[in-house]
Each structure stands twice: as C-alpha cells, then as structure tokens.
Amino acid sequence: MYYSLIFHRLLKAGMAKVYYFPPPSHASITHVMAKPVTENSKSYNAPCYPVSHIVQHLFGSNCVDMNFNVADDHPVETKTVSFVDVDFSKLETELRDHVIKKEGRPRLCFLEFLGYHDPHRPQSQAMDTDFSNVGSMIECGLFTEALDSIRSAVFPGLLPPMPYLISLLEYAQQGNATSVFLRNLQQVMCNLLVTNPPWLAPSTVKKYYTQVLQCPRCKAGPWSFLETAISYCLSSEATCHPLPGPALPTLLHFHSDLVAFFLRLFQGELHSVTARDFVLPQGPGVSQASASGSLLYGTFWTVWERSTLLSRAVKQLTQLLVQAAVKDYAEKDEKQRLHLADTLLNLLSVLVEFWCQQNFKLNQNLVEKGLKDLAEHFAVVSQDVSPVVLAELVARISSTRLKLVMADAIFRNLCCRNGNTVGDEPLSLKKMVLSYLPALGSLARSPSGARLRTGPPSHSCTSQETGCRTQSSLVNETGPENENLPRGLNRVNAAGETLLHRACKRNQVETVFQILALPGTDINVKDHAGWTPLHEACNHGSTACVEALLRHHPAPVLNNQVGGVSPLHDALLNRHMDIAKMLLEHAGSVLLQQADEDGRTALDLVSTTTQREELLHSAQVGDSALRNKVTKVSNLPLLEAGSSLLAHLISSYQQERALCDHAPPSDRARSLAYRLVRALETHSFQKLTLGWTDQRVVRLVEDADTLLELSRGRYLGQVSQAVKECKGQNTMFLMEMLENLKSLGDALMADL
C-alpha cells in the first residue's frame, strides 16, 4: 500500500498494515492510496484512491476549508504538495487594495480638538461688546489695560477687532512689554483659538486669522510672521524687519510661544480634515471646503505650488529646522532650551500629512515623489550636521510616513559621504538587509574622528540621477594639472558606459588602477541598463580587473542585480570559474543565496559535481576569512548613529508598508497574509509577480519573501562581526530588531 506520512498514524490506528513502496511480493494488497494516481499504482488489482480520500472519509465536506500538506514518501525523491489548491488569481487585486487602504489612512490624530465644539449643542453666543474704549486705550499707549479689556471679552462667535489685536502684537515685538503682558497676550491668542477655531467657522473667520497672523509692519502673510518668530528664537538677523537685539529672554519665549500657537492651529486644521466622524457645523457662511481654503495651505503653498510638497516655504522651514536642531543639541542647560527643534519637527509632520492626504487620492505617485524630494533636500542641507544630532532628530519625528523617508535619505547620504555607495532602487526590506546592513559594517570601520566629505548640493550623494558620480563635473581634462589623467575619463558613450566600464570590458587593469586612485571615483557607477564595472569585468572574463576592484576601498557592491543577474551569475553564465571563485573567497557563502529571476542560485548554473564542490570550497574560504577579520569598531559614534537611523527605518517601514494581518486562529486560513505566504511556498517570487504592474504590490510580496528567507537563516550573514559584537545601545537594539524580523518570518511559516 502507498502511504502518506501525514496519515501514517491514522492508518495504523485503524489496524491497517502499511507497506512501503514497492510492497513485498508476498503482501496481499487491499487498498492503494497514491498521490498522484498513476497507471503503476492501479496495477495491484485493488481499489486505488487519492490520498484526499482519507480526509473526505474523516471530515466529509468540511475538508475543503482545511489545509493539508501531504508528503509522498518515495524512496528516491520526496516532495510536498498542497492538498487544496488555492486560487491566487485575485491576490494582486487584494494586495493592491490593502496597500491603497494603508497608505491612505490618517497618521496623526489630535483628540484634544474634539472638545472645541460639540456639533449637537449650539454654542452660547456672547452679547454685543463695545470695543471703542479699547481703541482709545491703545491710542493713549495703555496697552496693558487694552489687553485686559480684550481678555474679558473672548467668547464663541465674538472676535476682537482686528486692528486692535495687530497693535498689541506689534507692541509685543518692540521689546518694551513686560513678561506679564506677553504671557497674557499669549493666553488671549490661545483662548481665541479655542472659542473660535477657524476650521469650524465661516470663511470670514479664516480671513480674520490670515490678517492677524502676519507681521504687523510688513504684512507679507503668515509665513513671513512665522519665519520671523523662528529666526528670532535662533538669534538670527534674517527677519523681515529688525527686531530688538540682542535677543531678550522674555521675547525669546514669546516668539517660541507664537511658533507653538501656529503648530496648534495647523494641528486643528489637520484634525478637521482627517477625523472621518467629525461633523462640520451647518449654516450660512460655513466653509465646507476646509482643506482648499485652509490657513495651512495659504501659509506654506501658493496656488501654483500646491502640486509639490517642496515649496519655497517648506524649503525654508527645513533649513530653520536644521539650525534649531544644532542649537538645541549644543545648549547644555535644559532650563534655557526652548526645544524649538521639537516644535518645528511637529510642524513639519503636520504639513506633510496634510499635503499627502489632500493629494493621495488624486495622484499617489505624486505623493511618493514629493516625500522623496523633501527627504533628499533635507539630507543635502544637513550634510554638515553631526550624524548623532541627525539620528536624534529622526527619532523624534511623530509622522511615521515622514520618519521613513527622512531616515532613508539621511542614512544613504551618511554612507555615501563615508565612501560607501548604496543602490538607488526603491526602498524595500530586502534592500535594507542586503545593502544597508553591509553598509552599516563599513561605517563601523570608518576612521575615528575623520572629517566627513561634504560638497555643494549640486554634487550631493543623495541625487538619484547622479548618485556619487561627481568626477565628471569636478575634473577638467584639458587643465595642465590633470595631464596624467587617463584619456576619455569624462566621456560616457550612448550606453551610459564610463571609462571604468570600458576598461573592465577590455581588461585594461592599469587604466582601472588610475581611475580608482582618483578622489571621488564611484566604483559602483551604473550604465543606462544598470550594469556596474564589476558586472562588465565578470562578464568579459577580466580577471585582473576583478581583482583590482575587489582590493579597492570601499569594495564594490557584489549583490547588485540587473534582471536578477549578479556579478557572480554573470561570471558563471559566461563560464569564468576563476572569477566566480574569487568573488566567493571575497564575500563568502552569502553570494550563493542570491537567486536570479528564474529562482536559480549560483550552484544551479554549474553542471558538474566538481564545479559545485569548488564553489562551495571557495565560499568556505571566504567565510573563514570574514570571521578572522578584525572585529573592533573603529568609529563607535558613527556606528551608533547609523544603527539608530536603520532601526527607525525598519520600524517605520513595518508600520507603513508591512502586511499586518492579525487574524484569529479560526480565520487564519482565509487571511491575506496566510494566502500570500502559501503562494510563496508553492511559487517563486518571480513567477508569482510576473506581469504585475503595481510596483508597491510587488515590493510587498518581496518583503514577505524576505521574511521567509530570514526565518530560514538566510541573509543574516550580511551583518558584519564587528556590528554583531558591538555593545553600543543603538546597535544592540538593531540586532534585536533583526531577530524580531526573523521571528516574524518564523510565525508566518508556522501558520502553514
């Protein structure tokens, strides 16, 4: 009798005598259970049933809701086949719906604004108040008395005359007001926001706030007023008009409170457009289009800038944020710190969430590009800031969407400035594991105290189009000081190939040495198709050039793939075994784990057992060499900063893009995560996503596949020994996060 391991105990419990295949000649066969049923299995003159017959006999029609892995026990080959085949035709649509729903959800919630107005209970209106005496007090210079009169007359539906409030703000800016006056004025502004929130009021109230919240002298709009308040807190002279100086402590706190007031105002507007159960008041003059006519839009974007996140005002805000972060970090006395950087971070988070929510339904690609542009811009303007300060800044970002792109851009910029290039492909979990973790090990080996290389924004390492390819714009071949440069250094042919590409194709190792000796050379520069010089050297059998590239510091990235083809695949596909063994001796067995688009690893590309053994031996030599490398961390502060950025990047990525599907055990078989994992168990990632057009969905499947690979123990070799043994707090936390990712993959596998 054929038997299946999963039902072996059931058959024995039923007093059946089970024979292995082939059965002995003396055996009397009464039933044959086979999967699949073949002509050979029908040749025993006994009824032949599929293995599923046992399940149907035991559970009846309920068996269709169950998942059984039935293993055919064959003396030569064992393979696992799913009992109930799952229909994956709708999987892409369901995953796309999941991605859209997750990206469109609100990120920041401010529950305190729910108490501003109860839509089911009419507001009590104050009686008409005569403010004529307030005007007379201001004309006579009695600002304190005028402010006291206004304080007692702030009610819902009642706004103090605009000119009087502007005069009081102007008097406060001159530096003659007492601390009591400034505190009372701030209280009046806060009470005004509570009793008459512009997001729940007629459009005339929004115009009122727009005119009040601008510089009393220049009257150039809310952004100018806000920028002046921030600049004064930073002791900067870049204000719309001169303010009293040196900065007075009372005025410093007053302007800091003004910035906090703007933040609270914008938080209320964001809340009003994101709280789905929030009922806007009805009535004549009430603006229902609260987003398009909001104060937040009018402050940071002109009408012509609303299709881009990185407007002129937003750029200026990021620069002020960098200055505030440096100032806050340098201020040792906690009592004197204004914590301005935290306020500006929250302000940036609010405006980013507001803009993204307004544009997401219209153009999702526009939102993704806007976020990337903002993060790249911030990475450029903060190049000279200490990595420790930047890591602390990223940790305090409240919006996970903003934290994700900021941590990614800053980490890549940090790696590039220290001579380690990472790819510019879209962010994914696989990219973080295969590219960012090795780059983190390089940061640990960076010289301690070395000055970071910085340059003008036009040559920024964060530019997607140019990467770190600055040599073509920095080197002038015709100059007499460059007469020893290799000829044709700056020429790029129609295929996008640099001189380094061409030299590697022709095995011109002396030219390769000359190019690598130049400062700023990008060893991982790509042509238009994505091929690197290492790819070309491996493809054309340029052994000497491969050796030169591998000896260079920083070493080339060995896991770059173009259409699934890595340098190791390229070498083996072109029968260059010597180069393949050289790559494995340099990087170890981790390269053997890479698969091409057809799921083939390097060992699948060789035809003989001898070649496989040679590759495995070279991989063992590489692993041994890597283990014997010095594990001492040369630059602990840089490693700690990089670990902090990478930890926040992984955490934010999991919150923003992971497939979180916490279904109860009874419904787990129907959950989206379960069905995706089952699909990856029966189909390769490349086959499953073949023909899929939405790259966000493809990355989601790739992330799930990466988790499964982590659970199998793969990819963890990307972490250098120096990082694993580091006792820094941030690095140890990052190692725990990687273990949690592996555990998450284990949990997904356990559900199968």
Side-chain angles (χ1 to χ4, degrees), residues 368-683:
E368 188 172 341
K369 182 180 184 302
L371 287 168
K372 183 177 181 179
D373 290 344
L374 173 62
E376 299 285 358
H377 174 77
F378 185 88
V380 170
V381 300
S382 62
Q383 284 189 113
D384 295 323
V385 180
S386 166
V388 177
V389 176
L390 294 177
E392 290 187 2
L393 197 67
V394 168
R396 302 201 301 268
I397 297 177
S398 55
S399 167
T400 54
R401 174 158 38 195
L402 179 61
K403 180 183 289 188
L404 175 66
V405 295
M406 292 277 274
D408 181 42
I410 294 173
F411 183 83
R412 288 188 291 109
N413 186 275
L414 189 64
C415 291
C416 191
R417 285 185 286 151
N418 285 273
N420 300 284
T421 307
V422 294
D424 55 5
E425 63 272 11
L427 183 63
S428 65
L429 192 59
K430 186 174 183 179
K431 179 182 179 181
M432 285 185 271
V433 172
L434 293 182
S435 295
Y436 287 6
L437 286 178
L440 185 67
S442 299
L443 292 181
R445 297 190 299 271
S446 298
S448 179
R451 183 176 179 85
L452 296 178
R453 297 195 300 270
T454 59
S458 58
H459 305 308
S460 166
C461 299
T462 60
S463 172
Q464 180 178 359
E465 292 78 17
T466 59
C468 295
R469 297 170 60 177
T470 59
Q471 62 184 30
S472 62
S473 58
L474 297 177
V475 180
N476 183 0
E477 290 184 43
T478 61
E481 68 279 6
N482 296 323
E483 58 184 7
N484 294 325
L485 293 179
R487 185 177 179 182
L489 176 65
N490 297 327
R491 294 183 194 150
V492 178
N493 62 18
E497 295 175 337
T498 65
L499 180 61
L500 186 58
H501 284 94
R502 301 192 293 273
C504 287
K505 292 172 68 173
R506 300 165 185 164
N507 203 20
Q508 298 171 340
V509 67
E510 293 297 331
T511 303
V512 171
F513 277 127
Q514 283 183 282
I515 298 174
L516 295 180
L518 296 174
T521 297
D522 180 12
I523 195 173
N524 299 302
V525 59
K526 298 178 180 180
D527 61 15
H528 295 333
W531 304 109
T532 65
L534 181 61
H535 272 111
E536 298 293 358
C538 294
N539 181 277
H540 291 81
S542 303
T543 306
C545 290
V546 172
E547 185 176 3
L549 292 172
L550 293 179
R551 289 183 177 181
H552 184 260
H553 181 76
V557 177
L558 271 65
N559 52 25
N560 273 333
Q561 290 182 292
V562 181
V565 177
S566 68
L568 179 59
H569 283 79
D570 223 346
L572 292 174
L573 288 171
N574 291 278
R575 300 181 180 180
H576 302 310
M577 278 289 294
D578 54 340
I579 292 179
K581 291 189 290 185
M582 190 185 304
L583 295 175
L584 290 170
E585 290 173 2
H586 178 83
S589 58
V590 66
L591 295 183
L592 296 177
Q593 300 173 6
Q594 281 189 290
D596 62 12
E597 290 185 337
D598 297 323
R600 298 178 300 175
T601 64
L603 295 177
D604 296 327
L605 300 179
V606 294
S607 57
T608 66
T609 304
T610 303
Q611 289 177 323
R612 291 192 184 94
E613 291 177 351
E614 290 179 3
L615 293 180
L616 288 172
H617 176 72
S618 298
Q620 292 175 356
V621 171
D623 290 339
S624 177
L626 291 174
R627 284 193 296 267
N628 294 330
K629 279 189 175 181
V630 178
T631 59
K632 181 180 178 181
V633 175
S634 303
N635 197 332
L636 181 60
L638 187 60
L639 173 61
E640 281 286 275
S643 296
S644 176
L645 289 170
L646 194 51
H648 286 290
L649 179 61
I650 295 175
S651 175
S652 302
Y653 190 87
Q654 288 294 100
Q655 295 180 60
E656 282 291 307
R657 302 184 183 178
L659 181 60
C660 298
D661 199 73
H662 305 291
S666 59
D667 295 334
R668 193 165 293 162
R670 297 183 179 89
S671 68
L672 184 57
Y674 175 83
R675 284 182 283 123
L676 174 58
V677 172
R678 273 197 74 189
L680 287 171
E681 282 295 292
T682 55
H683 302 78

Side-chain angles (χ1 to χ4, degrees), residues 39 85 194 242 273 299 329 457 492 512 540 580 594 599 625 660 686:
E39 292 298 327
D85 195 11
V194 172
V273 299
T299 301
Y329 185 80
V492 178
V512 171
H540 291 81
Q594 281 189 290
C660 298
Q686 292 80 11

